[in-house]
Amino acid sequence: MTKITFVGTDGTRFAVDAEDGLSLMQAALHHDVPGIVAECGGCAACGTCQVHIDAAWINRVPPAEPLEASVLAESENDHTNLRLSCQIMIDATLEGMVVEVAAAQR
Amino acid sequence: MATAAKILADKPAHVPSDRVVEFDYINDAGIIADPHARMREIAETTPALFWTPHYGGHWVARSRAVLAEVTTSPDRFSSKSRGIPAMDHDVNLIPLTMDPPEHSHYRIPINPLVSPKGVAPLESSIREMANDLIDAVIAKGHCDFLHEVAEPLPVILFMKLAGMPTDRLAEFRQLAEQATAAPEASARSEAFVRIGHILAPIVQSRMTEPQDDLISKLYAAGVNGRKMTFEELLNYSVLLFLGGLETVVNALAFSTRYLAMHPAIQQELREDPAKIAMAVEELLRLHGIAFTVRRTAADTQLDGVVLKADDMILIMAPAANYDETFYPDAASFCPARKQPHVTFNMGAHRCMGANLARLEMRVFFEQWLARIPPFRLDPQSPPVFFGGLNLAIRSLGITWA
């Protein structure tokens, strides 16, 4: 289990014990974090699980693959540290990470 | 027509008897009577995953959970296949029949063209086309919604977008229908070839003289650091043609039929057009259109059953949308639902045109409901439905006289 804090678009904080091996998107859905839609189920196909990774943790997650980058390039959100949460797998190195749910999903 | 369809396969040994349901996705009497009532019935009465002896024998994934597992596990369930019923060669449509990572290379160049930002500039022309179509029918107090409104709007928009001539609309739709709904594999193969022949000169000319259209932009974007070949670009264009000509036509028509039968919902949306965007999502859930196909890559377990390599699976998203475990009181219109619908399917192959479809439907209903008085089904002209890879309407009489 790895502690992840999701921050909703209204500022509400959701500190969850997330199962290692899941994606951030799956952890958010399992813990009913509002705002993550995840229409495609986790394949970088829809752009409905966008999050901002807290600057302190962004270097601990691998950079976006070209498919994810092509979706993010079109986002209406601020592009700083913007990621698809379905593409980031949880492990112990992310302990304490803060993840903000992005306002625009799609 | 139906002779081939009536040959039933013997049940293979690995298929449990309690998973056998005789279901013919093209000629099913329930689909032809009322497609979405039948989807609901299937959701309520069949196993989450069942096997039918039609078309050589294939599995049907009808639950939301099984759909999610199949569509998000491309290593176990491949998109490369000969279709259902099997053609004598692999169906090859870029990127529909590819698996990741190859699929991703071809998905990347289309993403900027079909993103919310990419389709937003089309809003004003969609509104203008909707108004033109409404102008043509409003005074007479009735219309065949399918032929006079639902068909021209997305088809002309799509053909303009793709840079295709709009004067062959009827012929194009007939071919798209044949490619997705003909029970004979040979007729479907032939439709693919004829669509290719129509598109070939357009694709050829866009490669040398680019225009402001989808095919030109797709060529310019390239794939995996190189330009697509003529064959690749033509093949991709055939997929865009099939995707753009059938799906929104039917989604618009089924949704309008639903509103015609539910005057209170019409009224609510007329009084508060801001509710239309969310209503469209619920109309899309109630009226899924497309079935898709996967092939089992190697023996694997699914829903507690062993599937053998090369077993075929028909994924019925329109039935998964009526899965009570995800959508309580699934037959009811509830725009505030938490669970997203699967009309655009899930996984890497989730519909690439979803943003365009949503935009077309929202803008169309904004104009239609603002201008057309309360409308209802025309009892003189009942709708005609048919099955196949797309649930479809052949005519839809409505009246507001």
Side-chain angles (χ1 to χ4, degrees):
Chain A
M1 289 289 181
T2 297
K3 193 161 293 285
I4 306 280
T5 299
F6 291 96
V7 183
T9 50
D10 64 355
T12 310
R13 296 173 81 84
F14 301 84
V16 310
D17 286 317
E19 199 180 316
D20 293 339
L22 293 185
S23 67
L24 286 178
M25 175 277 280
Q26 288 170 317
L29 289 189
H30 287 185
H31 293 90
D32 290 323
V33 175
I36 297 291
V37 188
E39 262 185 30
C40 79
C43 301
C46 69
T48 66
C49 66
Q50 298 183 39
V51 294
H52 288 105
I53 305 290
D54 188 282
W57 275 270
I58 190 69
N59 291 327
R60 298 197 203 174
V61 298
E65 298 280 338
L67 180 65
E68 181 189 352
S70 75
V71 174
L72 294 173
E74 295 297 310
S75 175
E76 294 155 29
N77 294 308
D78 174 6
H79 286 203
T80 312
N81 300 339
L82 183 68
R83 295 297 302 269
L84 296 181
S85 57
C86 69
Q87 298 300 299
I88 297 174
M89 297 301 143
I90 296 167
D91 63 28
T93 66
L94 303 184
E95 175 70 27
M97 182 158 84
V98 178
V99 178
E100 283 180 35
V101 178
Q105 301 292 347
R106 234 159 245 189
Chain B
M1 271 284 272
T3 46
K6 293 299 170 204
I7 299 165
L8 300 182
D10 293 330
K11 182 184 85 60
H14 70 284
V15 175
S17 303
D18 61 358
R19 296 288 183 138
V20 178
V21 177
E22 208 179 289
F23 173 68
D24 174 346
Y25 82 96
I26 298 173
N27 298 302
D28 178 75
I31 288 180
I32 290 161
D34 193 329
H36 295 96
R38 177 63 168 145
M39 291 301 108
R40 180 185 168 195
E41 181 183 60
I42 286 170
E44 288 171 355
T45 60
T46 67
L49 176 71
F50 63 85
W51 184 88
T52 170
H54 286 274
Y55 304 113
H58 65 89
W59 296 96
V60 177
R62 70 95 185 131
S63 82
R64 171 70 165 61
V66 174
L67 176 147
E69 182 171 345
V70 171
T71 55
T72 60
S73 311
D75 49 337
R76 294 161 61 208
F77 304 105
S78 173
S79 291
K80 293 176 201 231
S81 81
R82 299 188 164 188
I84 303 172
M87 298 194 192
D88 56 8
H89 54 85
D90 277 8
V91 185
N92 181 19
L93 283 174
I94 298 171
L96 185 74
T97 58
M98 289 173 162
D99 294 324
E102 184 187 30
H103 166 266
S104 307
H105 300 319
Y106 291 86
R107 182 82 178 215
I108 289 168
I110 196 95
N111 274 345
L113 308 175
V114 295
S115 71
K117 261 198 327 209
V119 301
L122 299 170
E123 176 161 347
S124 59
S125 55
I126 294 169
R127 204 173 296 280
E128 199 177 307
M129 287 170 62
N131 275 327
D132 289 348
L133 293 167
I134 294 167
D135 287 343
V137 299
I138 190 166
K140 64 178 181 171
H142 64 92
C143 71
D144 179 340
F145 186 82
L146 186 86
H147 293 291
E148 295 179 78
V149 184
E151 189 169 73
L153 179 78
V155 174
I156 293 174
L157 176 77
F158 176 79
M159 287 157 74
K160 284 182 174 169
L161 197 62
M164 298 176 191
T166 54
D167 55 355
R168 295 165 78 178
L169 189 150
E171 178 193 358
F172 283 13
R173 270 222 71 211
Q174 193 272 327
L175 280 172
E177 194 181 302
Q178 186 180 331
T180 54
E184 306 83 5
S186 60
R188 287 186 295 137
S189 294
E190 184 200 301
F192 283 115
V193 171
R194 286 181 56 200
I195 294 167
H197 284 161
I198 291 171
L199 296 179
I202 301 166
V203 168
Q204 191 76 65
S205 84
R206 296 306 182 275
M207 290 175 70
T208 49
E209 294 167 63
Q211 312 276 316
D212 184 25
D213 64 37
L214 207 55
I215 295 175
S216 303
K217 288 175 184 168
L218 204 49
Y219 181 65
V223 52
N224 213 13
R226 63 169 175 86
K227 289 280 189 276
M228 278 189 233
T229 64
F230 167 73
E231 286 73 20
E232 287 173 318
L233 190 59
L234 176 59
N235 186 298
Y236 210 135
S237 303
V238 171
L239 175 68
L240 296 177
F241 178 102
L242 292 173
L245 267 69
E246 284 299 287
T247 48
V248 184
V249 172
N250 287 304
L252 271 177
F254 280 117
S255 297
T256 299
R257 170 175 180 251
Y258 188 85
L259 292 175
M261 297 189 301
H262 295 84
I265 300 172
Q266 274 186 48
Q267 200 48 39
E268 191 183 345
L269 299 178
R270 272 196 192 87
E271 284 166 9
D272 189 357
K275 290 182 177 168
I276 290 175
M278 272 179 81
V280 162
E281 291 305 307
E282 185 65 345
L283 289 168
L284 281 167
R285 183 189 66 83
L286 290 165
H287 306 103
I289 305 298
F291 299 167
T292 50
V293 171
R294 293 292 186 278
R295 179 181 54 81
T296 307
D299 295 8
T300 188
Q301 285 252 352
L302 180 65
D303 193 39
V305 180
V306 173
L307 273 60
K308 292 287 186 190
D310 295 327
D311 275 4
M312 296 300 299
I313 307 172
L314 183 73
I315 302 169
M316 289 215 304
N321 277 332
Y322 284 88
D323 187 333
E324 287 281 336
T325 51
F326 279 79
Y327 312 103
D329 196 13
S332 297
F333 178 87
C334 304
R337 284 179 196 279
K338 194 173 157 245
Q339 286 288 348
H341 62 75
V342 291
T343 292
F344 297 124
N345 216 328
M346 294 179 72
H349 291 277
R350 181 253 189 194
C351 177
M352 55 170 67
N355 295 308
L356 180 58
R358 286 178 158 131
L359 180 67
E360 287 178 70
M361 290 191 61
R362 173 178 62 79
V363 170
F364 171 75
F365 281 118
E366 283 170 3
Q367 294 312 116
W368 180 261
L369 290 165
R371 298 186 57 196
I372 300 285
F375 57 93
R376 58 193 182 280
L377 294 180
D378 184 349
Q380 303 301 315
S381 141
V384 178
F385 305 109
F386 59 103
L389 286 175
N390 290 321
L391 297 175
I393 306 193
R394 204 162 257 147
S395 75
L396 178 66
I398 58 170
T399 174
W400 53 91

